[in-house]
PDB file of all heavy atoms in Angstrom:
ATOM      1  N   THR A 160      24.170 120.150  97.409  1.00  0.00           N
ATOM      2  CA  THR A 160      24.578 118.982  98.195  1.00  0.00           C
ATOM      3  C   THR A 160      23.458 118.536  99.130  1.00  0.00           C
ATOM      4  O   THR A 160      23.185 117.337  99.264  1.00  0.00           O
ATOM      5  CB  THR A 160      25.835 119.320  99.021  1.00  0.00           C
ATOM      6  OG1 THR A 160      26.907 119.654  98.137  1.00  0.00           O
ATOM      7  CG2 THR A 160      26.258 118.138  99.882  1.00  0.00           C
ATOM      8  N   PHE A 161      22.813 119.498  99.765  1.00  0.00           N
ATOM      9  CA  PHE A 161      21.734 119.153 100.696  1.00  0.00           C
ATOM     10  C   PHE A 161      20.615 118.388  99.984  1.00  0.00           C
ATOM     11  O   PHE A 161      20.196 117.312 100.427  1.00  0.00           O
ATOM     12  CB  PHE A 161      21.178 120.427 101.333  1.00  0.00           C
ATOM     13  CG  PHE A 161      19.963 120.192 102.183  1.00  0.00           C
ATOM     14  CD1 PHE A 161      20.089 119.663 103.461  1.00  0.00           C
ATOM     15  CD2 PHE A 161      18.697 120.477 101.691  1.00  0.00           C
ATOM     16  CE1 PHE A 161      18.960 119.433 104.251  1.00  0.00           C
ATOM     17  CE2 PHE A 161      17.566 120.249 102.472  1.00  0.00           C
ATOM     18  CZ  PHE A 161      17.709 119.726 103.754  1.00  0.00           C
ATOM     19  N   PHE A 162      20.128 118.926  98.866  1.00  0.00           N
ATOM     20  CA  PHE A 162      19.022 118.272  98.177  1.00  0.00           C
ATOM     21  C   PHE A 162      19.444 116.956  97.518  1.00  0.00           C
ATOM     22  O   PHE A 162      18.620 116.051  97.342  1.00  0.00           O
ATOM     23  CB  PHE A 162      18.415 119.217  97.135  1.00  0.00           C
ATOM     24  CG  PHE A 162      17.549 120.279  97.739  1.00  0.00           C
ATOM     25  CD1 PHE A 162      17.990 121.594  97.819  1.00  0.00           C
ATOM     26  CD2 PHE A 162      16.307 119.974  98.244  1.00  0.00           C
ATOM     27  CE1 PHE A 162      17.195 122.577  98.388  1.00  0.00           C
ATOM     28  CE2 PHE A 162      15.499 120.950  98.826  1.00  0.00           C
ATOM     29  CZ  PHE A 162      15.941 122.252  98.899  1.00  0.00           C
ATOM     30  N   ALA A 163      20.721 116.860  97.154  1.00  0.00           N
ATOM     31  CA  ALA A 163      21.194 115.618  96.539  1.00  0.00           C
ATOM     32  C   ALA A 163      21.340 114.495  97.562  1.00  0.00           C
ATOM     33  O   ALA A 163      21.084 113.321  97.257  1.00  0.00           O
ATOM     34  CB  ALA A 163      22.537 115.861  95.849  1.00  0.00           C
ATOM     35  N   PHE A 164      21.737 114.821  98.795  1.00  0.00           N
ATOM     36  CA  PHE A 164      22.042 113.794  99.787  1.00  0.00           C
ATOM     37  C   PHE A 164      20.926 113.568 100.803  1.00  0.00           C
ATOM     38  O   PHE A 164      20.938 112.558 101.509  1.00  0.00           O
ATOM     39  CB  PHE A 164      23.329 114.159 100.537  1.00  0.00           C
ATOM     40  CG  PHE A 164      24.574 113.783  99.791  1.00  0.00           C
ATOM     41  CD1 PHE A 164      25.190 114.682  98.944  1.00  0.00           C
ATOM     42  CD2 PHE A 164      25.142 112.514  99.938  1.00  0.00           C
ATOM     43  CE1 PHE A 164      26.336 114.336  98.252  1.00  0.00           C
ATOM     44  CE2 PHE A 164      26.280 112.166  99.254  1.00  0.00           C
ATOM     45  CZ  PHE A 164      26.886 113.077  98.404  1.00  0.00           C
ATOM     46  N   ILE A 165      19.985 114.510 100.903  1.00  0.00           N
ATOM     47  CA  ILE A 165      18.980 114.387 101.951  1.00  0.00           C
ATOM     48  C   ILE A 165      18.107 113.141 101.746  1.00  0.00           C
ATOM     49  O   ILE A 165      17.793 112.413 102.706  1.00  0.00           O
ATOM     50  CB  ILE A 165      18.103 115.673 102.026  1.00  0.00           C
ATOM     51  CG1 ILE A 165      17.219 115.645 103.283  1.00  0.00           C
ATOM     52  CG2 ILE A 165      17.261 115.831 100.778  1.00  0.00           C
ATOM     53  CD1 ILE A 165      17.993 115.839 104.543  1.00  0.00           C
ATOM     54  N   SER A 166      17.722 112.891 100.498  1.00  0.00           N
ATOM     55  CA  SER A 166      16.891 111.704 100.241  1.00  0.00           C
ATOM     56  C   SER A 166      17.681 110.425 100.465  1.00  0.00           C
ATOM     57  O   SER A 166      17.147 109.430 100.982  1.00  0.00           O
ATOM     58  CB  SER A 166      16.341 111.745  98.804  1.00  0.00           C
ATOM     59  OG  SER A 166      17.403 111.831  97.871  1.00  0.00           O
ATOM     60  N   LEU A 167      18.974 110.440 100.079  1.00  0.00           N
ATOM     61  CA  LEU A 167      19.818 109.271 100.307  1.00  0.00           C
ATOM     62  C   LEU A 167      19.963 108.977 101.791  1.00  0.00           C
ATOM     63  O   LEU A 167      19.823 107.824 102.235  1.00  0.00           O
ATOM     64  CB  LEU A 167      21.198 109.504  99.672  1.00  0.00           C
ATOM     65  CG  LEU A 167      22.245 108.403  99.930  1.00  0.00           C
ATOM     66  CD1 LEU A 167      21.790 107.066  99.361  1.00  0.00           C
ATOM     67  CD2 LEU A 167      23.598 108.822  99.339  1.00  0.00           C
ATOM     68  N   LEU A 168      20.218 110.033 102.572  1.00  0.00           N
ATOM     69  CA  LEU A 168      20.381 109.832 104.016  1.00  0.00           C
ATOM     70  C   LEU A 168      19.066 109.393 104.655  1.00  0.00           C
ATOM     71  O   LEU A 168      19.063 108.586 105.599  1.00  0.00           O
ATOM     72  CB  LEU A 168      20.874 111.131 104.665  1.00  0.00           C
ATOM     73  CG  LEU A 168      21.224 111.053 106.154  1.00  0.00           C
ATOM     74  CD1 LEU A 168      22.343 110.045 106.403  1.00  0.00           C
ATOM     75  CD2 LEU A 168      21.615 112.428 106.703  1.00  0.00           C
ATOM     76  N   TRP A 169      17.940 109.915 104.126  1.00  0.00           N
ATOM     77  CA  TRP A 169      16.629 109.521 104.661  1.00  0.00           C
ATOM     78  C   TRP A 169      16.395 108.013 104.455  1.00  0.00           C
ATOM     79  O   TRP A 169      15.953 107.314 105.357  1.00  0.00           O
ATOM     80  CB  TRP A 169      15.545 110.320 103.955  1.00  0.00           C
ATOM     81  CG  TRP A 169      14.161 110.093 104.504  1.00  0.00           C
ATOM     82  CD1 TRP A 169      13.282 109.106 104.141  1.00  0.00           C
ATOM     83  CD2 TRP A 169      13.507 110.856 105.511  1.00  0.00           C
ATOM     84  NE1 TRP A 169      12.127 109.204 104.846  1.00  0.00           N
ATOM     85  CE2 TRP A 169      12.227 110.280 105.710  1.00  0.00           C
ATOM     86  CE3 TRP A 169      13.858 111.978 106.262  1.00  0.00           C
ATOM     87  CZ2 TRP A 169      11.312 110.779 106.620  1.00  0.00           C
ATOM     88  CZ3 TRP A 169      12.948 112.482 107.169  1.00  0.00           C
ATOM     89  CH2 TRP A 169      11.691 111.887 107.360  1.00  0.00           C
ATOM     90  N   VAL A 170      16.736 107.551 103.248  1.00  0.00           N
ATOM     91  CA  VAL A 170      16.568 106.115 102.945  1.00  0.00           C
ATOM     92  C   VAL A 170      17.511 105.270 103.790  1.00  0.00           C
ATOM     93  O   VAL A 170      17.124 104.220 104.333  1.00  0.00           O
ATOM     94  CB  VAL A 170      16.798 105.856 101.447  1.00  0.00           C
ATOM     95  CG1 VAL A 170      16.836 104.355 101.152  1.00  0.00           C
ATOM     96  CG2 VAL A 170      15.714 106.536 100.613  1.00  0.00           C
ATOM     97  N   LEU A 171      18.774 105.714 103.913  1.00  0.00           N
ATOM     98  CA  LEU A 171      19.756 104.957 104.686  1.00  0.00           C
ATOM     99  C   LEU A 171      19.401 104.903 106.167  1.00  0.00           C
ATOM    100  O   LEU A 171      19.747 103.938 106.862  1.00  0.00           O
ATOM    101  CB  LEU A 171      21.155 105.573 104.511  1.00  0.00           C
ATOM    102  CG  LEU A 171      21.792 105.446 103.127  1.00  0.00           C
ATOM    103  CD1 LEU A 171      23.092 106.237 103.075  1.00  0.00           C
ATOM    104  CD2 LEU A 171      22.046 103.986 102.771  1.00  0.00           C
ATOM    105  N   SER A 172      18.721 105.946 106.646  1.00  0.00           N
ATOM    106  CA  SER A 172      18.383 106.003 108.070  1.00  0.00           C
ATOM    107  C   SER A 172      17.397 104.909 108.467  1.00  0.00           C
ATOM    108  O   SER A 172      17.493 104.340 109.564  1.00  0.00           O
ATOM    109  CB  SER A 172      17.769 107.368 108.419  1.00  0.00           C
ATOM    110  OG  SER A 172      18.678 108.399 108.156  1.00  0.00           O
ATOM    111  N   GLY A 173      16.440 104.641 107.583  1.00  0.00           N
ATOM    112  CA  GLY A 173      15.399 103.689 107.956  1.00  0.00           C
ATOM    113  C   GLY A 173      14.559 104.254 109.089  1.00  0.00           C
ATOM    114  O   GLY A 173      14.319 105.453 109.177  1.00  0.00           O
ATOM    115  N   VAL A 174      14.113 103.370 109.963  1.00  0.00           N
ATOM    116  CA  VAL A 174      13.267 103.773 111.090  1.00  0.00           C
ATOM    117  C   VAL A 174      13.980 103.406 112.390  1.00  0.00           C
ATOM    118  O   VAL A 174      14.433 102.273 112.570  1.00  0.00           O
ATOM    119  CB  VAL A 174      11.892 103.086 111.038  1.00  0.00           C
ATOM    120  CG1 VAL A 174      11.021 103.525 112.212  1.00  0.00           C
ATOM    121  CG2 VAL A 174      11.194 103.386 109.714  1.00  0.00           C
ATOM    122  N   LEU A 175      14.069 104.383 113.294  1.00  0.00           N
ATOM    123  CA  LEU A 175      14.628 104.124 114.621  1.00  0.00           C
ATOM    124  C   LEU A 175      13.475 103.885 115.595  1.00  0.00           C
ATOM    125  O   LEU A 175      12.601 104.742 115.762  1.00  0.00           O
ATOM    126  CB  LEU A 175      15.470 105.325 115.088  1.00  0.00           C
ATOM    127  CG  LEU A 175      16.051 105.216 116.505  1.00  0.00           C
ATOM    128  CD1 LEU A 175      17.057 104.065 116.590  1.00  0.00           C
ATOM    129  CD2 LEU A 175      16.712 106.522 116.919  1.00  0.00           C
TER     130      LEU A 175
END
Side-chain angles (χ1 to χ4, degrees):
T160 298
F161 173 78
F162 284 106
F164 278 92
I165 190 71
S166 57
L167 175 61
L168 186 60
W169 185 273
V170 172
L171 292 174
S172 299
V174 180
L175 177 65

